[in-house]
Amino acid sequence: MMNLEEADRVVTNDAHVVEFRLGDEVCAIDIDAVDSIVESKQVTRVPRAPDAVEGVMDLRGETTAIVDPREFLAIEGDLASDNILVLDRADDKQKIGLRVAEVTEVSGYPEAQIDTGERVSRIGTSAVEQELVKGVIRKGVAGEDEEEADVDVELVLWLDIDRLIAAVSDDESEDNQH
């Protein structure tokens, strides 16, 4: 039997995420952080904006900053895409949209499929080194009752969206000091 503290922990360690492709990687962010998925319209460049900020676009009457997260994650691959994940974060002074190659699915993963802490640090990506990742989700993990232990496992980078946006903001303030 589980006591309440354990039950609480089980719920909080599950990942409810929106998955998307960024270049050659599959990434995910918490579904709570996403307001909507839209197609990008005309993006206006902003002078002296950090490299990761493509510019701004008008989204339903609100100025929305469009960010290319590949800049921070050092992800290879093309990003010819019109897909924008619009974030919904209470603290943002303005709306922020992430340009992604394509949104693939919305899913939930149990704690058993999420690697965090030490197990993540073995995966050598700059996103992990900069602590922009909450964890790595292992998709396609065989259940214990299945005999095939060699099921293909796809790794999904579970991004820490708050740290990612903070990194963009830090970059912006550094740029403005030069």
Side-chain angles (χ1 to χ4, degrees), residues 105-130:
E105 60 184 296
V106 173
S107 355
Y109 293 99
E111 181 183 7
Q113 283 181 254
I114 303 166
D115 287 341
T116 55
E118 285 299 301
R119 292 188 299 187
V120 171
S121 58
R122 292 198 311 254
I123 300 167
T125 72
S126 62
V128 172
E129 288 155 24
Q130 293 174 34

Side-chain angles (χ1 to χ4, degrees), residues 13 15 17 19 25-28 109-125 127-129 132-139 141 153-160:
N13 287 336
V17 297
E19 290 176 36
E25 297 284 341
V26 178
C27 300
Y109 293 99
E111 181 183 7
Q113 283 181 254
I114 303 166
D115 287 341
T116 55
E118 285 299 301
R119 292 188 299 187
V120 171
S121 58
R122 292 198 311 254
I123 300 167
T125 72
V128 172
E129 288 155 24
L132 299 176
V133 172
K134 282 185 174 182
V136 174
I137 299 167
R138 288 174 290 135
K139 291 179 71 163
V141 175
V153 174
E154 184 179 13
L155 296 180
V156 178
L157 289 177
W158 183 19
L159 302 179
D160 185 329

Side-chain angles (χ1 to χ4, degrees), residues 124-178:
T125 72
S126 62
V128 172
E129 288 155 24
Q130 293 174 34
E131 299 183 335
L132 299 176
V133 172
K134 282 185 174 182
V136 174
I137 299 167
R138 288 174 290 135
K139 291 179 71 163
V141 175
E144 289 154 29
D145 56 345
E146 292 181 36
E147 290 174 20
E148 293 176 38
D150 59 334
V151 172
D152 286 343
V153 174
E154 184 179 13
L155 296 180
V156 178
L157 289 177
W158 183 19
L159 302 179
D160 185 329
I161 195 62
D162 295 331
R163 287 194 173 164
L164 182 70
I165 298 304
V168 172
S169 306
D170 292 349
D171 193 36
E172 189 169 14
S173 52
E174 280 174 30
D175 283 2
N176 289 341
Q177 290 169 0
H178 295 299

